[in-house]
Amino acid sequence: MADPGDELVFAPLGGVGEIGMNLSIYGLGNARRRSWLAIDLGVSFASEEHLPGVDLILPDIRFLLEERRNLVGLVLTHGHEDHFGAILDLWPQLQVPIYTTPFTAALFAAKRLSEPGAPDIPVNVVPLDSRFNVGPFDIELVTVTHSIPESNALIIRTPHGAVLHTGDWKLDPTPVIGSPTDEAKLKRLGEEGCIALMGDSTNAVREGRSPSEADVAKTLAELIKTARGRVAVTTFASSVSRLRSVAIAARAADREVIVVGRAMERVVQVARETGYLDGVQDFRGMDVFGYLPPDKVVALCTGSQGEPRAALARIAENQHPEIVLSPGDRVIFSSRTIPGNEKEVGRVINGLINQGVEVITDRTHLVHVSGHPRKAELEDMLRWVRPRIVVPVHGEALHLSEHAKLARDVGVPKVITCRNGDLIRLAPDPGKIDELPSGRVFKDGNILVSSDSRTVGERRRLSFAGYVSVALALTEKGALSADPDVELVGIPEVSPGGEPMADIAYDAVVQTFESLPKAKRRDPDTVAEAVRRSVRGAIRAHWGKKPVCFVHVLEVR
Ligand SMILES: [Zn+2]
Ligand SMILES: [Zn+2]
């Protein structure tokens, strides 16, 4: 039994109010001391426009670092980047034991080996469907279908009762690989009693049920069979069921499968090792692409999100060293465009069409299904598990509120909506009790910087409005000892009136300096500030934009 005063708490430190960067923690104990269990440690991807130079966004783990001695383990539900992508960068500070199933562990190992200098990180591999203890938490894995092999929901049993952390899931009776979602186990949990469900909200706005992977496989088979020229299929590399469907379709059409792109090669290797491509023919390397007749190849390519360095973007620009497409060839986007990537994907599609290539997307054909539950699937889950509390997670505000509404409509007694950092007591007496430090950290090159650090904002300003550098040399008496040096970077050369912008800036510098009272000219800070203001103002008067301006005042003796 629970000690008096002890409680079970939950807090999302990432993944709520956003899709990405998942990190949830569960705590057992009381406000003075709790044992913490972490679930997932993922990243978000930055869009170049908003965060120039930032590759990844990671959760701020200040709180876990403070509580490091009480952190008993990290369980990974599955191997998507939004669930395990931050481990390489953050684990060295945490040094916490990791638990996950074989495919996720193998994918993680392959990823670690592909990054030079990555730390050696031990992983405890647990079987699918297994039950194990992590500190005071009794954890049981529940197999669920998703868009990657081995997605797991977690039943977490505690002295206060059992909770269900769904992870990413959907219902698919014919998932191509792996077992369907373990309905029987979820119903047993409902019988046993479930105090709370923390659930995937990604597709809570969508009516009905998602189609099956098997339906997608049928469409792909048809599209590959009827193609006359070369076929290239792009999909998320980790979608092994999709890779398998393409391979089966290719064999039926008497075509070889060629793997293009490092991320794809890595997943194929891991899937072979872990048995998810058993019975599938060997794939060929890129080198044979040019030798095979067009109607004998299917290329499996990375780059479905328009990533400029991935295989498909280079093919679309006719820049790929091995893979060249011609008019009449067919490219299938077996993927969905993640919001924010529309421009990049559009650029790739247009590049292909300009080469005379036929492009097929999920707008016209069932060539992709999401890995997340729609409304009818969410309702099934809630009816099976019958939780007393639902906490919507894994979604933006709209998805969370739709999930909350659906849970209320189904008759869940208590729905708790939260934000990253909210500490929620699940038992006894459920409700929000505190706020934990949380936030985002940027990976900028090899360095992690706080999201409120100046650097990224400065870079954004520079990219928007350019830069003026001014150097002034002053004598001891406060006179200019030489002509000021003024340089403009990223600013239009000529004003609308035809005057060089450099002259405008130069005149502003000289006039401002000369208008300063003699006494003030001797103070370098006063001079610098006055010049900076006037240069920015003068340029704005002509251009309509204020540049970043640095003024260096040197005293010459
Ligand atoms: Zn996922
Ligand atoms: Zn996810």
Side-chain angles (χ1 to χ4, degrees):
M1 276 313 292
D3 288 339
D6 273 9
E7 46 193 28
L8 170 64
V9 296
F10 164 78
L13 296 179
V16 173
E18 62 193 335
I19 293 179
M21 206 182 84
N22 292 285
L23 167 57
S24 295
I25 56 173
Y26 290 86
L28 263 179
N30 54 46
R32 283 192 311 283
R33 187 182 180 283
R34 301 185 207 273
S35 295
W36 294 102
L37 170 72
I39 313 289
D40 293 333
L41 190 54
V43 291
S44 285
F45 294 96
S47 106
E48 194 62 36
E49 274 164 68
H50 298 111
L51 299 172
V54 172
D55 306 316
L56 292 177
I57 303 172
L58 297 84
D60 184 335
I61 55 164
R62 256 175 307 162
F63 178 73
L64 288 182
L65 292 174
E66 281 166 26
E67 290 284 317
R68 209 178 73 166
R69 281 180 310 125
N70 302 320
L71 179 62
V72 294
L74 166 64
V75 181
L76 307 178
T77 58
H78 65 291
H80 274 151
E81 290 293 322
D82 62 321
H83 294 259
F84 86 168
I87 300 174
L88 287 183
D89 287 302
L90 298 181
W91 187 87
Q93 304 170 65
L94 286 171
Q95 306 271 334
V96 59
I98 299 176
Y99 301 82
T100 195
T101 56
F103 179 82
T104 309
L107 197 60
F108 178 65
K111 180 182 153 153
R112 196 170 61 74
L113 289 176
S114 75
E115 293 200 15
D120 191 10
I121 299 176
V123 173
N124 300 291
V125 181
V126 290
L128 283 170
D129 216 29
S130 62
R131 189 165 171 174
F132 51 93
N133 291 307
V134 179
F137 301 91
D138 170 357
I139 296 166
E140 184 173 4
L141 302 182
V142 185
T143 295
V144 290
T145 35
H146 185 41
S147 44
I148 188 170
E150 298 188 6
S151 197
N152 296 284
L154 309 177
I155 300 172
I156 304 168
R157 292 187 175 85
T158 73
H160 300 277
V163 302
L164 183 70
H165 185 96
T166 70
D168 293 5
W169 66 281
K170 66 178 280 194
L171 299 181
D172 187 343
T174 49
V176 177
I177 56 170
S179 309
T181 296
D182 192 344
E183 181 179 334
K185 197 184 258 191
L186 292 166
K187 285 179 170 163
R188 279 202 299 279
L189 174 63
E191 299 295 320
E192 174 187 331
C194 174
I195 56 175
L197 177 148
M198 272 47 68
D200 182 353
S201 310
T202 315
N203 274 349
V205 294
R206 304 189 67 177
E207 300 291 337
R209 293 174 186 279
S210 33
S212 168
E213 257 322 303
D215 302 329
V216 174
K218 264 183 230 147
T219 317
L220 288 173
E222 189 62 26
L223 288 170
I224 290 172
K225 193 174 83 183
T226 56
R228 266 167 297 179
R230 301 177 187 88
V231 178
V233 181
T234 184
T235 187
F236 302 102
S238 58
S239 183
V240 179
S241 51
R242 207 62 59 77
L243 309 187
R244 191 180 176 102
S245 299
V246 169
I248 290 167
R251 188 158 58 187
D254 195 21
R255 287 172 181 256
E256 298 273 7
V257 176
I258 290 163
V259 179
V260 188
R262 233 168 300 160
M264 195 72 84
E265 287 167 11
R266 199 159 78 203
V267 173
V268 166
Q269 198 192 335
V270 170
R272 294 254 181 228
E273 284 165 18
T274 45
Y276 288 105
L277 289 176
D278 282 0
V280 167
Q281 73 272 30
D282 283 344
F283 297 161
R284 308 289 299 270
M286 282 187 290
D287 48 319
V288 301
F289 184 87
Y291 302 111
L292 290 168
D295 63 349
K296 293 291 173 224
V297 290
V298 174
L300 259 176
C301 306
T302 53
S304 68
Q305 298 306 307
E307 304 92 324
R309 278 166 296 187
L312 195 63
R314 294 165 69 199
I315 295 168
E317 284 174 11
N318 222 344
Q319 297 287 337
H320 198 281
E322 312 268 5
I323 310 296
V324 179
L325 298 179
S326 330
D329 291 345
R330 179 175 274 181
V331 171
I332 304 168
F333 278 74
S334 184
S335 57
R336 142 183 187 272
T337 302
I338 294 170
N341 296 339
E342 293 87 352
K343 262 193 214 163
E344 284 75 12
V345 173
R347 196 174 303 140
V348 171
I349 290 177
N350 289 327
L352 293 166
I353 289 173
N354 287 339
Q355 290 182 36
V357 171
E358 179 193 15
V359 174
I360 290 173
T361 70
D362 67 340
R363 263 180 267 181
T364 52
H365 291 75
L366 182 56
V367 286
H368 178 69
V369 285
S370 160
H372 301 275
R374 296 189 188 177
K375 282 185 171 161
E377 295 160 79
L378 290 168
E379 284 168 13
D380 281 353
M381 175 67 93
L382 293 176
R383 289 203 185 96
W384 296 340
V385 177
R386 287 174 280 149
R388 273 178 266 155
I389 304 167
V390 163
V391 184
V393 297
H394 204 291
E396 295 171 6
L398 172 67
H399 313 122
L400 302 173
S401 77
E402 284 291 311
H403 191 185
K405 185 167 161 291
L406 179 141
R408 281 187 207 105
D409 291 348
V410 173
V412 173
K414 192 169 176 77
V415 177
I416 301 176
T417 52
C418 61
R419 294 166 182 238
N420 288 336
D422 283 351
L423 183 66
I424 294 162
R425 184 163 56 213
L426 298 173
D429 189 20
K432 186 184 155 179
I433 54 171
D434 201 358
E435 206 161 304
L436 306 180
S438 70
R440 313 194 305 164
V441 169
F442 297 149
K443 186 163 186 191
D444 180 9
N446 296 324
I447 298 173
L448 298 182
V449 298
S450 154
S451 59
D452 48 25
S453 94
R454 296 189 338 261
T455 50
V456 177
E458 284 173 355
R459 229 177 280 157
R460 194 165 42 216
R461 273 198 298 284
L462 285 171
S463 69
F464 173 74
Y467 166 73
V468 182
S469 155
V470 178
L472 293 170
L474 299 189
T475 64
E476 229 167 297
K477 290 185 179 153
L480 286 173
S481 81
D483 286 343
D485 187 54
V486 180
E487 277 191 60
L488 278 58
V489 179
I491 293 170
E493 283 177 30
V494 183
S495 76
E499 203 182 341
M501 291 290 254
D503 291 357
I504 292 169
Y506 184 89
D507 292 348
V509 172
V510 174
Q511 279 163 19
T512 306
F513 181 77
E514 285 174 353
S515 69
L516 285 173
K518 278 237 162 71
K520 290 198 168 171
R521 289 191 208 167
R522 273 186 229 129
D523 174 19
D525 291 343
T526 307
V527 172
E529 183 54 22
V531 167
R532 197 180 71 85
R533 282 165 178 262
S534 87
V535 167
R536 298 182 78 208
I539 288 185
R540 187 173 71 164
H542 293 270
W543 186 24
K545 290 163 82 168
K546 267 189 182 176
V548 175
C549 178
F550 282 108
V551 181
H552 310 270
V553 179
L554 308 165
E555 290 167 281
V556 186
R557 286 171 202 279

